Amino acid sequence: MRKRSAYRLTALTMAACLLLSLSAIAVAAPSDMGAMMKPPASGAAVVADMPGFQNIRYKTFFRERTVNEGLVIRQSRVENGKIIIPKYGLYYTTRTDPAEMFKGEKTVILGKMYTVVDTDARFDVLADVFAQKKKPILFGDGTKALELTDLGLEDNGYEGVKATFKILKPSGNYYGTDFPVSADPKMGDITKGVLKNGTGKKTGSYLPGQGSDWTREFWDRSANTSGQTYIVVESTTAEGAKIKEFGTSATTAVYLSDKDPVELVLGPGETGKVGDYTVKVVALTAETATVELIAKDGAVTQKVLGPFNHETEKYLPTDHVNRAKMLVRSAAGDVQVSLDALRHPFRQGKVALLGYYDVFKLAAGDRLPADPRFTVRPDT
Amino acid sequence: MIENTEEIVLDMTNNVFVGPDAYFKVIIDEFDGTTVKAWHLEDSKGNITLNLADRAKGKHIDLLVNTRCRTVWHFVGRFAPMLVIEQYNQIKTLKTAN
């Protein structure tokens, strides 16, 4: 029996923007990778807990969640009379599951709670590449890699070649789910439907040679998935694995606010306050709300939010394209108002809105505003 | 993740590294140029750890803080059996000393 990870690799981020997937973006890997994607030593000091690194329980609109602060030093060394921590060798992390939009989810950064307002995402693809064991293949912006971690025979010594892939993250960890695949011709490839109707055997016990001769039937898959992430291989041999296609998403930026969301329910002509801004509902239909964001200086940003219907809400909150239709941001980007999309936004002739103010954006590679010696990376 | 963008160099002259927004400090207490004999972490509330030099035998200052953080636990999980054995040996040593 193969041990399976208890952790599902959920959609690590939200659905990729279709426009991005239509125009593949190749980004060069950072020139100095430092300790990127490297683990700490097995002899690392372990501090099980410390008051200054908190585990904070908080309530979303739907449930309770916990965010945990952590600290890692990796790849440090003593050299020429000095103690060296390389670039990217020290990181603070608040490893949270992907925050889901419209749910009032939060994260913690250096002890302070922030509401997750929105995220930007990208979908990274590798196609037609040959993977060799233990030779990670960089993808996306070069801060993650697909690694063929194991290449061997199937269980019980069956002479079919099996390949196991893992995704190596900037943190030096692998994603919780690994991706075993085999395209060895000796295997029954279940992705081809060979087990769709079973093998025709009836309840009972079969000796070798009986039934459809189970001693020659070994099953595997040439494709494996976890949420949005998938890998398809063309061949698995003693030399490695030919990848037909691999894809996974990445969070490229996160929009945060240190304020709680403002919940408003407004009818046509009614107004509410979101920070220094006035939100006015100009018009409502069954599926849309025309809203105005009015700044202190009188500048107006108007947008029709929606349409909110079975088609557009079907894949919320992960659907970036339709999510963008549900929200409006101020010209300065410091305020966002959206439909309360997961809690029946159109109610009794009014619309339920979520407002966020003092919003700021942190993109991968940005300097930390409070301390520019450090860079931020939304994806772990 | 919040990561250092420049290499960090420490010795007994520059023996303190202040973390992002002064959220923590890495403090080298004893270093002879070859072996880190004593170092500790201080959090923003002034709490300090014991000497952290033991597991690395003074060869580096790799560190994992807060095992409830998933990223940290994944790393600790890789060598957790070693920690159990080390703990057992430490208990034995302490009992012998008493």
Side-chain angles (χ1 to χ4, degrees), chain A residues 238-369:
Chain A
E239 287 71 45
K242 176 73 190 297
I243 298 163
K244 185 179 177 68
E245 195 178 314
F246 159 79
T248 190
S249 59
T251 302
T252 55
V254 61
Y255 299 77
L256 301 168
S257 168
D258 62 356
K259 309 295 190 302
D260 287 329
V262 178
E263 299 176 51
L264 298 167
V265 180
L266 302 174
E270 293 181 331
T271 61
K273 294 294 283 182
V274 177
D276 286 338
Y277 285 70
T278 300
V279 182
K280 183 177 182 183
V281 173
V282 178
L284 282 183
T285 70
E287 296 183 351
T288 65
T290 306
V291 301
E292 286 181 348
L293 277 182
I294 305 160
K296 256 198 325 191
D297 63 5
V300 177
T301 306
Q302 188 182 93
K303 186 175 177 181
V304 179
L305 304 186
F308 182 87
N309 54 40
H310 178 67
E311 191 52 41
T312 58
E313 64 92 30
K314 198 173 181 179
Y315 296 107
L316 293 179
T318 58
D319 177 346
H320 271 259
V321 176
N322 281 305
R323 202 164 84 203
K325 295 175 187 172
M326 308 296 168
L327 61 87
V328 57
R329 283 201 194 111
S330 60
D334 58 339
V335 163
Q336 176 179 303
V337 170
S338 73
L339 298 179
D340 192 351
L342 300 183
R343 295 189 296 185
H344 312 291
F346 294 96
R347 312 170 191 166
Q348 293 92 43
K350 297 196 173 195
V351 62
L353 300 169
L354 296 173
Y356 306 89
Y357 59 102
D358 291 348
V359 176
F360 63 98
K361 177 182 177 180
L362 289 177
D366 280 358
R367 297 294 170 129
L368 182 71

Side-chain angles (χ1 to χ4, degrees), chain A residues 48 109 131 164 171 276:
Chain A
I109 301 175
T164 300
S171 66
D276 286 338

Side-chain angles (χ1 to χ4, degrees), chain A residues 158-239:
Chain A
Y158 187 73
E159 292 281 328
V161 178
K162 185 185 199 80
T164 300
F165 285 91
K166 291 185 179 184
I167 300 170
L168 184 56
K169 302 190 295 178
S171 66
N173 264 317
Y174 292 110
Y175 282 127
T177 301
D178 51 11
F179 299 85
V181 284
S182 177
D184 190 298
K186 284 185 175 176
M187 305 305 297
D189 186 351
I190 65 167
T191 64
K192 305 285 194 290
V194 292
L195 267 185
K196 192 168 59 175
N197 299 311
T199 66
K201 298 185 194 73
K202 306 297 180 201
T203 303
S205 300
Y206 294 79
L207 294 172
Q210 292 182 336
S212 50
D213 197 357
W214 51 271
T215 62
R216 297 191 299 172
E217 291 174 347
F218 274 70
W219 314 105
D220 212 322
R221 65 202 67 203
S222 59
N224 212 325
T225 62
S226 179
Q228 279 182 303
T229 303
Y230 62 89
I231 184 165
V232 186
V233 293
E234 278 178 24
S235 65
T236 47
T237 64
E239 287 71 45

Side-chain angles (χ1 to χ4, degrees), chain A residues 21-171:
Chain A
S21 61
L22 291 174
S23 54
I25 299 168
V27 186
S31 53
D32 176 10
M33 297 291 281
M36 178 79 65
M37 292 183 276
K38 300 279 196 338
S42 60
V46 178
V47 178
D49 56 33
M50 196 171 186
F53 291 85
Q54 304 172 74
N55 305 293
I56 302 170
R57 193 93 175 139
Y58 76 95
K59 283 185 178 174
T60 73
F61 297 152
F62 298 95
R63 57 174 174 158
E64 286 193 6
R65 297 191 76 177
T66 305
V67 284
N68 311 92
E69 299 184 290
L71 177 65
V72 174
I73 298 178
R74 53 180 171 171
Q75 305 293 310
S76 64
R77 64 190 188 275
V78 174
E79 191 177 86
N80 300 327
K82 307 284 184 188
I83 302 161
I84 310 289
I85 302 173
K87 179 181 182 177
Y88 306 140
L90 179 149
Y91 66 82
Y92 164 96
T93 176
T94 57
R95 170 65 184 279
T96 48
D97 285 337
E100 294 166 2
M101 302 307 103
F102 305 128
K103 292 188 174 181
E105 299 203 338
K106 299 190 178 192
T107 190
V108 59
I109 301 175
L110 302 173
K112 191 170 178 181
M113 292 296 281
Y114 293 87
T115 300
V116 179
V117 177
D118 205 347
T119 57
D120 291 339
R122 183 187 69 224
F123 198 75
D124 297 325
V125 173
L126 276 175
D128 300 321
V129 291
F130 191 79
Q132 293 173 286
K133 190 176 176 181
K134 302 287 187 190
K135 292 191 176 172
I137 304 166
L138 298 180
F139 63 84
D141 63 359
T143 64
K144 286 197 262 182
L146 180 66
E147 185 178 345
L148 174 52
T149 55
D150 194 28
L151 189 67
L153 295 181
E154 289 284 342
D155 295 345
N156 305 327
Y158 187 73
E159 292 281 328
V161 178
K162 185 185 199 80
T164 300
F165 285 91
K166 291 185 179 184
I167 300 170
L168 184 56
K169 302 190 295 178
S171 66

Side-chain angles (χ1 to χ4, degrees), chain B:
Chain B
M1 290 170 68
I2 294 172
E3 303 178 296
N4 62 307
T5 53
E6 303 292 336
E7 186 177 77
I8 297 162
V9 181
L10 294 167
D11 55 21
M12 285 313 291
T13 307
N14 298 299
N15 70 319
V16 178
F17 177 76
V18 179
D21 204 20
Y23 201 59
F24 56 84
K25 290 177 187 167
V26 175
I27 300 166
I28 309 300
D29 299 305
E30 195 178 347
F31 174 55
D32 62 7
T34 307
T35 305
V36 189
K37 293 179 177 173
W39 69 284
H40 72 275
L41 185 74
E42 182 176 319
D43 69 23
S44 59
K45 298 174 169 63
N47 301 289
I48 57 171
T49 64
L50 300 170
N51 178 14
L52 298 173
D54 185 46
R55 292 202 72 245
K57 307 286 187 282
K59 302 296 178 206
H60 58 77
I61 57 165
D62 281 12
L63 174 68
L64 291 160
V65 180
N66 190 13
T67 51
R68 287 181 64 186
C69 172
R70 257 179 74 179
T71 296
V72 170
W73 175 250
H74 279 304
F75 288 129
V76 174
R78 294 183 189 186
F79 55 81
M82 288 165 60
L83 293 175
V84 176
I85 294 163
E86 288 167 20
Q87 183 188 48
Y88 177 77
N89 289 337
Q90 284 170 335
I91 291 167
K92 263 202 321 189
T93 304
L94 287 168
K95 278 189 168 177
T96 308
N98 293 328

